[in-house]
Amino acid sequence: SQQGEEDPQALSIQEGENATMNCSYKTSINNLQWYRQNSGRGLVHLILIRSNEREKHSGRLRVTLDTSKKSSSLLITASRAADTASYFCATALNYGGSQGNLIFGKGTKLSVKP
Amino acid sequence: DAGITQSPRHKVTETGTPVTLRCHQTENHRYMYWYRQDPGHGLRLIHYSYGVKDTDKGEVSDGYSVSRSKTEDFLLTLESATSSQTSVYFCAISGGDRAGGYTFGSGTRLTVV
């Protein structure tokens, strides 16, 4: 069964707008990661947030983590057409303090119109 | 994708035939993974390896076997391919807890007819 579920499944915005994607998960995690996948390509790691962190930034990306609600959000600011891709959250379960294998959600398909 | 290559990139095979997919890394990472990606299911873990000759099953391991005889190579074998194994297969590598995220290969698109 899926550990992480992204919401929405699809999102269409205009260039310059912000895009927000959410991820909910079910069990205690070591960390949560976000990945991007362009059509026909492999996944690319974007950002990792550990369970004791609440917010992290990387360029135009902002990730938040709320462990009490078991949820995370990915914000892409000032979106560009090149941001068009599928975005996946992945959770690493907590195995006695070590990171377990990543479990992926089904993804959010983002379309940024020029 | 730097440091990790998958072969072949595309393959069409017949039902009942064995198929082997190869993942090769040049990063000397300890952990290697095989995932399959299907519409509506996202990525699901098939098998993974935590060292040479050390492998374990993932969520959807039935019908698949793996081998890792060298750090750099992780092979996925479909013992007798079925149409339900038509999918895109991704290999990934990781250095472990402190290494951050996974690095993925470009994928192998497998069609079983």
Side-chain angles (χ1 to χ4, degrees):
Chain A
S1 63
Q2 298 295 131
Q3 158 76 332
E5 294 285 346
E6 293 91 343
D7 171 62
Q9 290 186 341
L11 180 61
S12 183
I13 59 174
Q14 295 293 131
E15 218 169 18
E17 294 179 341
N18 295 341
T20 299
M21 287 158 269
N22 302 296
C23 172
S24 59
Y25 58 92
K26 296 174 185 172
T27 60
S28 175
I29 60 171
N30 179 291
N31 65 70
L32 185 145
Q33 305 177 25
W34 285 92
Y35 289 78
R36 184 188 74 236
Q37 184 181 34
N38 291 93
S39 182
R41 306 293 298 271
L43 280 74
V44 174
H45 179 250
L46 294 176
I47 195 164
L48 179 154
I49 186 164
R50 301 196 185 278
S51 60
N52 61 353
E53 297 175 312
R54 292 297 166 258
E55 188 170 313
K56 208 159 180 182
H57 297 255
S58 176
R60 292 183 298 112
L61 305 181
R62 173 178 168 251
V63 168
T64 61
L65 179 65
D66 187 334
T67 52
S68 66
K69 294 181 180 176
K70 292 187 171 56
S71 68
S72 173
S73 67
L74 171 68
L75 169 68
I76 304 174
T77 59
S79 64
R80 306 165 182 168
D83 294 328
T84 294
S86 291
Y87 291 82
F88 294 86
C89 73
T91 50
L93 302 187
N94 209 352
Y95 286 114
S98 295
Q99 173 182 291
N101 297 324
L102 283 187
I103 303 173
F104 286 82
K106 297 179 184 178
T108 291
K109 199 163 190 176
L110 174 66
S111 174
V112 182
K113 296 181 175 15
Chain B
D1 295 303
I4 178 171
T5 54
Q6 291 184 233
S7 59
R9 289 297 311 277
H10 302 272
K11 186 168 181 67
V12 180
T13 192
E14 293 187 349
T15 299
T17 60
V19 177
T20 295
L21 309 183
R22 181 179 183 240
C23 179
H24 178 79
Q25 61 143 331
T26 58
E27 304 296 319
N28 201 35
H29 280 336
R30 178 182 175 189
Y31 297 91
M32 298 186 76
Y33 310 84
W34 278 107
Y35 285 87
R36 60 178 289 176
Q37 185 176 33
D38 304 288
H41 290 279
L43 278 88
R44 292 179 291 174
L45 182 65
I46 305 171
H47 279 281
Y48 65 99
S49 170
Y50 46 96
V52 174
K53 293 188 168 48
D54 291 324
T55 65
D56 206 348
K57 296 178 180 179
E59 179 188 356
V60 290
S61 60
D62 286 350
Y64 302 95
S65 62
V66 288
S67 66
R68 191 166 178 202
S69 58
K70 298 186 288 186
T71 298
E72 56 265 36
D73 290 325
F74 192 32
L75 304 181
L76 176 71
T77 297
L78 288 65
E79 292 138 11
S80 177
T82 67
S83 58
S84 65
Q85 293 175 312
T86 291
S87 186
V88 181
Y89 292 86
F90 287 100
C91 177
I93 60 175
S94 167
D97 279 11
R98 297 182 188 281
Y102 290 10
T103 301
F104 279 81
S106 299
T108 294
R109 184 173 293 277
L110 177 69
T111 303
V112 183
V113 298

